[in-house]
Amino acid sequence: MARQVHTVDSLKGLCERFFLQRRVNTSDVLRVYQVAELSAAEAVKEKHLRFIVHSFPFLLEMAGEDNLRHVLGDELFLKIKTSEIQAEVQCKQLQKIKGRVLEPEAPLEPDATVMVARAADGSGVYPYARLKAGVLWPDDVNPKAREAHLS
């Protein structure tokens, strides 16, 4: 009977697997990132870096700029911070946009609601006033091809 050979993971492998299965949290994300970077545990490093990027404003406030710069390095810190600033600017610009819901206009004059002709496929052909945005279109008008119903 042949003996079965069992392999045992290295301590580094066990630790990597632990940190990959474990939920990342703000209390130790920076320490684990540093250890992963020093031990060349790329998968663990990437997982924690994604968390750092997504939690950057909170971590910046909690850990401070100097600590984050020390852990991430100047280049990566500035890249993440610049990206965060750009996202804030875009968010503020979007908040400034004021739109309104287009409500159907009042009923049109009688001549504007009349079908001008019938197309070869049997659908109606209508004047522009009946097909413009913001008015209720006739039932036989395909919204993706309004121009095909235009007189």
Side-chain angles (χ1 to χ4, degrees):
M1 187 176 253
R3 280 190 176 185
Q4 291 183 343
V5 177
H6 297 284
T7 60
V8 178
D9 281 344
S10 67
L11 181 57
K12 179 185 176 199
L14 290 171
C15 289
E16 283 182 31
R17 195 167 30 177
F18 170 77
F19 282 111
L20 287 173
Q21 293 173 353
R22 180 176 169 261
R23 190 174 284 196
V24 182
N25 63 64
T26 55
S27 63
D28 67 357
V29 65
L30 297 177
R31 284 188 304 249
V32 174
Y33 177 82
Q34 278 183 304
V35 170
E37 189 171 43
L38 291 172
S39 63
E42 290 302 316
V44 175
K45 180 181 166 187
E46 288 301 316
K47 177 181 178 180
H48 285 73
L49 180 58
R50 279 193 306 274
F51 185 87
I52 290 169
V53 169
H54 291 289
S55 307
F56 190 77
F58 177 76
L59 289 171
L60 187 61
E61 187 175 313
M62 184 181 91
E65 186 171 322
D66 292 339
N67 194 18
L68 277 175
R69 271 184 192 273
H70 174 73
V71 171
L72 299 173
D74 285 335
E75 186 178 334
L76 183 56
F77 174 82
L78 289 174
K79 184 177 177 183
I80 296 171
K81 188 170 183 177
T82 302
S83 176
E84 188 65 32
I85 290 170
Q86 289 172 344
E88 277 183 41
V89 168
Q90 287 177 338
C91 186
K92 287 179 182 177
Q93 287 174 340
L94 286 174
Q95 289 173 345
K96 289 179 182 178
I97 296 174
K98 295 191 190 295
R100 62 182 180 86
V101 176
L102 287 177
E103 297 292 336
E105 294 178 355
L108 302 168
E109 304 95 43
D111 64 335
T113 61
V114 177
M115 183 182 346
V116 176
R118 283 232 175 255
D121 64 357
S123 60
V125 178
Y126 300 92
Y128 172 74
R130 191 66 178 106
L131 297 174
K132 68 181 183 175
V135 299
L136 292 174
W137 302 326
D139 292 336
D140 64 341
V141 172
N142 179 356
K144 292 180 182 176
R146 271 187 308 171
E147 64 280 355
H149 301 276
L150 191 58
S151 63

